[in-house]
């Protein structure tokens, strides 16, 4: 029944969650104790890399009760992530292109779309987004199934 | 696609968990099938038909 052969075993997902929790703790620690700007810049690079790694491990590991429905949810989440990414990329592309044809709008909006465009054009952004969509949908159906008999 | 999995389950006083265990899937899969959120694979449909002792056509129809 299980067709999820290319995925990591469930235990790998737990490692991903541990990495994710450690990143959150270190990031919160950085906000509280202020590690220093130079060190924090280097640290933030490491933290982001660890977030991408954690998202990869969590998103592409088998669930404890992995079956064909979870597999369908996984595929649906990938499609949703792709649609969201493309929509944001197209929107930010249009918004960043508007000033070049002579139409101006507030600089803050331009900066916001520059940041959004920067993150969406990076493939690493897709992983945390996919992980979020997939985990939310699994959680939603587990919760709904739990309250129905 | 329509199905009468919930009706058959209630008729036989079988819980979602019991049906899930008998067919080798999770409880949320049974829930999703009953709610028409998910269309099961041929393999799962055949397992369900064997479990209820009915043909696939009696359990699922367009």
């Amino acid at each position: 029944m299980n067709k999820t052969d290319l995925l990591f075993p469930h235990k790998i997902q737990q490692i991903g969650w541990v990495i994710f929790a450690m990143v959150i703790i270190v990031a919160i620690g950085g906000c509280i104790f202020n590690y220093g700007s130079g060190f924090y810049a280097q640290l933030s690079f490491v933290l982001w890399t660890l977030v991408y790694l954690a998202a990869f491990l969590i998103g592409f590991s088998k669930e404890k009760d992995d079956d064909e429905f979870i597999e369908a949810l996984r595929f649906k989440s990938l499609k949703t992530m792709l649609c969201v990414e493309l929509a944001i990329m197209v929107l930010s592309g249009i918004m960043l292109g508007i000033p070049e044809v002579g139409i101006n709008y507030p600089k803050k909006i331009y900066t916001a779309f520059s940041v959004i465009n920067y993150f969406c054009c990076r493939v690493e952004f897709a992983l945390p987004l996919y992980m979020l969509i997939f985990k939310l949908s699994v959680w939603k159906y587990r919760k709904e199934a739990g309250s129905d008999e | 696609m329509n199905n009468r999995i919930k009706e058959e389950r209630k008729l036989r006083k079988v819980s979602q968990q019991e049906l899930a265990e008998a067919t080798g899937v999770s409880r949320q899969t049974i829930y999703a099938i009953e709610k028409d959120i998910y269309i099961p694979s041929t393999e799962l449909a055949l397992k369900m038909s064997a479990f209820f002792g009915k043909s696939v056509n009696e359990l699922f129809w367009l």
Side-chain angles (χ1 to χ4, degrees), chain A residues 48-63:
Chain A
W48 274 113
T49 308
L50 287 174
V51 166
Y52 303 142
L53 176 70
F56 179 69
L57 296 179
I58 294 165
F60 292 99
S61 297
K62 284 180 187 173
E63 292 297 308

PDB file of all heavy atoms in Angstrom, chain A residues 48-63:
ATOM      1  N   TRP A  48      19.843  29.960   8.965  1.00  0.00           N
ATOM      2  CA  TRP A  48      18.971  29.788   7.790  1.00  0.00           C
ATOM      3  C   TRP A  48      19.258  28.469   7.082  1.00  0.00           C
ATOM      4  O   TRP A  48      18.344  27.764   6.657  1.00  0.00           O
ATOM      5  CB  TRP A  48      19.129  30.963   6.809  1.00  0.00           C
ATOM      6  CG  TRP A  48      18.238  32.120   7.156  1.00  0.00           C
ATOM      7  CD1 TRP A  48      18.623  33.347   7.582  1.00  0.00           C
ATOM      8  CD2 TRP A  48      16.797  32.149   7.135  1.00  0.00           C
ATOM      9  NE1 TRP A  48      17.529  34.144   7.833  1.00  0.00           N
ATOM     10  CE2 TRP A  48      16.396  33.429   7.567  1.00  0.00           C
ATOM     11  CE3 TRP A  48      15.824  31.216   6.818  1.00  0.00           C
ATOM     12  CZ2 TRP A  48      15.062  33.806   7.671  1.00  0.00           C
ATOM     13  CZ3 TRP A  48      14.479  31.580   6.926  1.00  0.00           C
ATOM     14  CH2 TRP A  48      14.119  32.868   7.341  1.00  0.00           C
ATOM     15  N   THR A  49      20.552  28.137   6.998  1.00  0.00           N
ATOM     16  CA  THR A  49      20.921  26.856   6.372  1.00  0.00           C
ATOM     17  C   THR A  49      20.310  25.697   7.150  1.00  0.00           C
ATOM     18  O   THR A  49      19.798  24.740   6.562  1.00  0.00           O
ATOM     19  CB  THR A  49      22.468  26.719   6.320  1.00  0.00           C
ATOM     20  OG1 THR A  49      22.991  27.895   5.720  1.00  0.00           O
ATOM     21  CG2 THR A  49      22.899  25.507   5.525  1.00  0.00           C
ATOM     22  N   LEU A  50      20.349  25.821   8.487  1.00  0.00           N
ATOM     23  CA  LEU A  50      19.776  24.766   9.329  1.00  0.00           C
ATOM     24  C   LEU A  50      18.250  24.704   9.188  1.00  0.00           C
ATOM     25  O   LEU A  50      17.667  23.621   9.247  1.00  0.00           O
ATOM     26  CB  LEU A  50      20.173  24.972  10.799  1.00  0.00           C
ATOM     27  CG  LEU A  50      21.636  24.652  11.131  1.00  0.00           C
ATOM     28  CD1 LEU A  50      21.951  25.041  12.568  1.00  0.00           C
ATOM     29  CD2 LEU A  50      21.945  23.174  10.920  1.00  0.00           C
ATOM     30  N   VAL A  51      17.609  25.865   9.011  1.00  0.00           N
ATOM     31  CA  VAL A  51      16.148  25.890   8.791  1.00  0.00           C
ATOM     32  C   VAL A  51      15.806  25.138   7.503  1.00  0.00           C
ATOM     33  O   VAL A  51      14.881  24.324   7.473  1.00  0.00           O
ATOM     34  CB  VAL A  51      15.606  27.342   8.747  1.00  0.00           C
ATOM     35  CG1 VAL A  51      14.194  27.391   8.186  1.00  0.00           C
ATOM     36  CG2 VAL A  51      15.626  27.960  10.135  1.00  0.00           C
ATOM     37  N   TYR A  52      16.582  25.408   6.434  1.00  0.00           N
ATOM     38  CA  TYR A  52      16.337  24.723   5.158  1.00  0.00           C
ATOM     39  C   TYR A  52      16.547  23.219   5.309  1.00  0.00           C
ATOM     40  O   TYR A  52      15.766  22.416   4.799  1.00  0.00           O
ATOM     41  CB  TYR A  52      17.261  25.252   4.054  1.00  0.00           C
ATOM     42  CG  TYR A  52      17.152  26.744   3.816  1.00  0.00           C
ATOM     43  CD1 TYR A  52      18.267  27.508   3.534  1.00  0.00           C
ATOM     44  CD2 TYR A  52      15.915  27.384   3.884  1.00  0.00           C
ATOM     45  CE1 TYR A  52      18.169  28.878   3.317  1.00  0.00           C
ATOM     46  CE2 TYR A  52      15.809  28.744   3.675  1.00  0.00           C
ATOM     47  CZ  TYR A  52      16.936  29.482   3.397  1.00  0.00           C
ATOM     48  OH  TYR A  52      16.832  30.825   3.191  1.00  0.00           O
ATOM     49  N   LEU A  53      17.611  22.861   6.040  1.00  0.00           N
ATOM     50  CA  LEU A  53      17.906  21.444   6.259  1.00  0.00           C
ATOM     51  C   LEU A  53      16.774  20.787   7.052  1.00  0.00           C
ATOM     52  O   LEU A  53      16.289  19.705   6.681  1.00  0.00           O
ATOM     53  CB  LEU A  53      19.247  21.293   7.002  1.00  0.00           C
ATOM     54  CG  LEU A  53      19.639  19.862   7.372  1.00  0.00           C
ATOM     55  CD1 LEU A  53      19.996  19.053   6.133  1.00  0.00           C
ATOM     56  CD2 LEU A  53      20.811  19.847   8.348  1.00  0.00           C
ATOM     57  N   ALA A  54      16.347  21.477   8.123  1.00  0.00           N
ATOM     58  CA  ALA A  54      15.260  20.933   8.970  1.00  0.00           C
ATOM     59  C   ALA A  54      13.988  20.783   8.151  1.00  0.00           C
ATOM     60  O   ALA A  54      13.305  19.749   8.232  1.00  0.00           O
ATOM     61  CB  ALA A  54      15.033  21.849  10.166  1.00  0.00           C
ATOM     62  N   ALA A  55      13.662  21.786   7.342  1.00  0.00           N
ATOM     63  CA  ALA A  55      12.451  21.732   6.510  1.00  0.00           C
ATOM     64  C   ALA A  55      12.533  20.577   5.516  1.00  0.00           C
ATOM     65  O   ALA A  55      11.546  19.881   5.286  1.00  0.00           O
ATOM     66  CB  ALA A  55      12.269  23.043   5.766  1.00  0.00           C
ATOM     67  N   PHE A  56      13.725  20.360   4.964  1.00  0.00           N
ATOM     68  CA  PHE A  56      13.928  19.252   4.023  1.00  0.00           C
ATOM     69  C   PHE A  56      13.711  17.908   4.714  1.00  0.00           C
ATOM     70  O   PHE A  56      12.996  17.032   4.200  1.00  0.00           O
ATOM     71  CB  PHE A  56      15.351  19.341   3.442  1.00  0.00           C
ATOM     72  CG  PHE A  56      15.690  18.248   2.475  1.00  0.00           C
ATOM     73  CD1 PHE A  56      15.086  18.195   1.230  1.00  0.00           C
ATOM     74  CD2 PHE A  56      16.605  17.271   2.815  1.00  0.00           C
ATOM     75  CE1 PHE A  56      15.385  17.178   0.334  1.00  0.00           C
ATOM     76  CE2 PHE A  56      16.920  16.253   1.925  1.00  0.00           C
ATOM     77  CZ  PHE A  56      16.307  16.213   0.691  1.00  0.00           C
ATOM     78  N   LEU A  57      14.294  17.768   5.910  1.00  0.00           N
ATOM     79  CA  LEU A  57      14.172  16.501   6.644  1.00  0.00           C
ATOM     80  C   LEU A  57      12.737  16.256   7.102  1.00  0.00           C
ATOM     81  O   LEU A  57      12.246  15.131   7.048  1.00  0.00           O
ATOM     82  CB  LEU A  57      15.125  16.493   7.850  1.00  0.00           C
ATOM     83  CG  LEU A  57      16.623  16.541   7.549  1.00  0.00           C
ATOM     84  CD1 LEU A  57      17.425  16.539   8.831  1.00  0.00           C
ATOM     85  CD2 LEU A  57      17.039  15.368   6.675  1.00  0.00           C
ATOM     86  N   ILE A  58      12.062  17.325   7.553  1.00  0.00           N
ATOM     87  CA  ILE A  58      10.683  17.178   8.045  1.00  0.00           C
ATOM     88  C   ILE A  58       9.725  16.911   6.887  1.00  0.00           C
ATOM     89  O   ILE A  58       8.897  16.011   6.940  1.00  0.00           O
ATOM     90  CB  ILE A  58      10.251  18.425   8.851  1.00  0.00           C
ATOM     91  CG1 ILE A  58      11.081  18.550  10.128  1.00  0.00           C
ATOM     92  CG2 ILE A  58       8.759  18.362   9.205  1.00  0.00           C
ATOM     93  CD1 ILE A  58      10.992  19.912  10.803  1.00  0.00           C
ATOM     94  N   GLY A  59       9.875  17.704   5.842  1.00  0.00           N
ATOM     95  CA  GLY A  59       8.939  17.611   4.713  1.00  0.00           C
ATOM     96  C   GLY A  59       9.074  16.352   3.882  1.00  0.00           C
ATOM     97  O   GLY A  59       8.116  15.907   3.261  1.00  0.00           O
ATOM     98  N   PHE A  60      10.274  15.771   3.858  1.00  0.00           N
ATOM     99  CA  PHE A  60      10.486  14.594   3.014  1.00  0.00           C
ATOM    100  C   PHE A  60      10.785  13.329   3.820  1.00  0.00           C
ATOM    101  O   PHE A  60      11.521  12.453   3.370  1.00  0.00           O
ATOM    102  CB  PHE A  60      11.590  14.868   1.989  1.00  0.00           C
ATOM    103  CG  PHE A  60      11.187  15.891   0.971  1.00  0.00           C
ATOM    104  CD1 PHE A  60      11.591  17.216   1.090  1.00  0.00           C
ATOM    105  CD2 PHE A  60      10.351  15.547  -0.079  1.00  0.00           C
ATOM    106  CE1 PHE A  60      11.183  18.179   0.169  1.00  0.00           C
ATOM    107  CE2 PHE A  60       9.936  16.492  -1.004  1.00  0.00           C
ATOM    108  CZ  PHE A  60      10.351  17.815  -0.873  1.00  0.00           C
ATOM    109  N   SER A  61      10.210  13.267   5.030  1.00  0.00           N
ATOM    110  CA  SER A  61      10.283  12.037   5.822  1.00  0.00           C
ATOM    111  C   SER A  61       8.893  11.445   5.915  1.00  0.00           C
ATOM    112  O   SER A  61       7.898  12.161   5.848  1.00  0.00           O
ATOM    113  CB  SER A  61      10.792  12.341   7.231  1.00  0.00           C
ATOM    114  OG  SER A  61      12.075  12.839   7.182  1.00  0.00           O
ATOM    115  N   LYS A  62       8.835  10.140   6.102  1.00  0.00           N
ATOM    116  CA  LYS A  62       7.540   9.477   6.250  1.00  0.00           C
ATOM    117  C   LYS A  62       6.883   9.895   7.557  1.00  0.00           C
ATOM    118  O   LYS A  62       7.577  10.137   8.556  1.00  0.00           O
ATOM    119  CB  LYS A  62       7.734   7.965   6.267  1.00  0.00           C
ATOM    120  CG  LYS A  62       8.001   7.370   4.912  1.00  0.00           C
ATOM    121  CD  LYS A  62       8.172   5.873   5.028  1.00  0.00           C
ATOM    122  CE  LYS A  62       8.606   5.301   3.700  1.00  0.00           C
ATOM    123  NZ  LYS A  62       8.947   3.895   3.771  1.00  0.00           N
ATOM    124  N   GLU A  63       5.567   9.976   7.526  1.00  0.00           N
ATOM    125  CA  GLU A  63       4.813  10.205   8.753  1.00  0.00           C
ATOM    126  C   GLU A  63       4.735   8.881   9.506  1.00  0.00           C
ATOM    127  O   GLU A  63       4.956   7.817   8.933  1.00  0.00           O
ATOM    128  CB  GLU A  63       3.400  10.694   8.422  1.00  0.00           C
ATOM    129  CG  GLU A  63       3.346  12.079   7.819  1.00  0.00           C
ATOM    130  CD  GLU A  63       3.853  13.158   8.747  1.00  0.00           C
ATOM    131  OE1 GLU A  63       3.392  13.235   9.895  1.00  0.00           O
ATOM    132  OE2 GLU A  63       4.723  13.927   8.320  1.00  0.00           O
TER     133      GLU A  63
END
